[in-house]
Amino acid sequence: MRLDYFIANATALSRRDAKKAISAGRVQVDEKACRKAGTPVSPESLITLEGELLSLPVERYLMLHKPSGVISATTDSQQPTALDLLPTDLRRGLHIAGRLDADTTGLLLRTTDGQWSHRITSPRVSCPKTYRVTLSETIDAGAIALLEQGVLLRDEPTPTKPASVCRLDERLIDLTISEGRYHQIKRMLAAVGNHVEGLHRWQIGAIVLDPELAPGQYRELTAEEARSVA
Ligand code: URA
């Protein structure tokens, strides 16, 4: 893990303030001042902030940039799973907070904290999730209004909850929903006569997929990010 993530994870500092503390020489690694935010540290490193020994919280929270072709489920003998992207020593006790289809890319959260993931996935809490959706057909104002009001999905009795749509281009939208029904985005677009060609989740609540993470990469959430799921 990078030193700035460690500091942001082990203290109340944001990542930006963690970087400032490091460059100001307030952080020591193995008893030597370390001014480089990207320095790799391990669980064995002795890390202090102004002389105070730091440790990571017991519960663990990770964000992962899920590539296409990888399934979210914890075990699957046929296909690679998102868990395979993590080093073996990190995998213990982690579960997913909100699955993605195999062909969907983007933000996947994994944690050891069951109450925390419940706040993300529970239909009662309504945690918003934002997807960038590439469409096969042009989307018009009528279809956007329907998606925002709620649409009836095939074989389901109740319409989807109100959603919000930001039209980025003729065939590109950001769609924010606060439910997690089966294949919900693809079925919502099918319900307004369109078809999803590409799907990428980039935000859950206030947690945004780190643009520094390439597909297949992961990092620990900062304490600030983990706390944002209240
Ligand atoms: N909706 C979908 O259709 N697929 C996903 O992976 C997530 C939301």
Side-chain angles (χ1 to χ4, degrees):
M1 184 193 300
R2 289 166 52 112
L3 181 58
D4 54 344
Y5 288 124
F6 180 95
I7 301 291
N9 214 258
T11 69
L13 295 182
S14 65
R15 227 179 105 208
R16 182 201 265 194
D17 288 340
K19 281 183 173 163
K20 281 191 198 155
I22 295 165
S23 58
R26 292 163 58 205
V27 172
Q28 289 199 332
V29 177
D30 295 331
E31 298 181 12
K32 284 191 206 109
C34 179
R35 290 174 185 264
K36 283 204 183 127
T39 304
V41 292
S42 73
E44 289 78 41
S45 310
L46 280 180
I47 301 169
T48 59
L49 174 66
E50 288 174 346
E52 190 191 327
L53 185 62
L54 303 178
S55 59
L56 291 175
V58 180
E59 297 286 10
R60 285 174 302 129
Y61 308 89
L62 298 180
M63 75 159 71
L64 224 136
H65 187 163
K66 181 185 138 356
S68 180
V70 166
I71 59 163
S72 306
T74 309
T75 49
D76 185 273
S77 50
Q78 313 295 322
Q79 269 182 286
T81 76
L83 209 56
D84 297 332
L85 300 169
L86 302 176
T88 329
D89 57 339
L90 255 188
R91 295 181 195 173
R92 198 167 23 89
L94 289 175
H95 61 269
I96 304 162
R99 285 163 188 260
L100 292 175
D101 297 338
D103 58 354
T104 303
T105 59
L107 179 59
L108 203 60
L109 296 173
R110 281 190 171 269
T111 181
T112 52
D113 184 342
Q115 290 188 354
W116 188 86
S117 56
H118 181 74
R119 292 199 289 277
I120 289 176
T121 54
S122 166
R124 289 202 199 127
V125 183
S126 296
C127 172
K129 289 124 192 147
T130 302
Y131 295 82
R132 183 139 307 169
V133 192
T134 307
L135 300 163
S136 64
E137 313 297 331
T138 299
I139 188 153
D140 61 23
I144 290 175
L146 287 173
L147 292 172
E148 289 192 322
Q149 280 160 29
V151 286
L152 266 182
L153 303 180
R154 216 171 139 199
D155 298 331
E156 289 203 18
T158 49
T160 53
K161 284 190 192 164
S164 71
V165 178
C166 176
R167 189 178 189 271
L168 303 168
D169 207 339
E170 286 183 342
R171 297 190 297 111
L172 191 67
I173 56 170
D174 273 346
L175 176 53
T176 303
I177 57 173
S178 53
E179 302 168 282
R181 302 194 201 183
Y182 182 65
H183 295 324
Q184 180 161 343
I185 302 276
K186 291 172 185 164
R187 292 163 73 215
M188 284 175 79
L189 270 304
V192 297
N194 213 313
H195 177 76
V196 172
E197 286 199 331
L199 192 53
H200 177 81
R201 181 163 68 195
W202 60 272
Q203 186 162 11
I204 295 176
I207 303 173
V208 175
L209 178 64
D210 188 332
E212 286 178 26
L213 291 182
Q217 291 187 323
Y218 71 92
R219 70 161 169 82
E220 304 262 351
L221 294 191
T222 63
E224 196 181 25
E225 287 168 333
R227 267 198 313 268
S228 72
V229 179

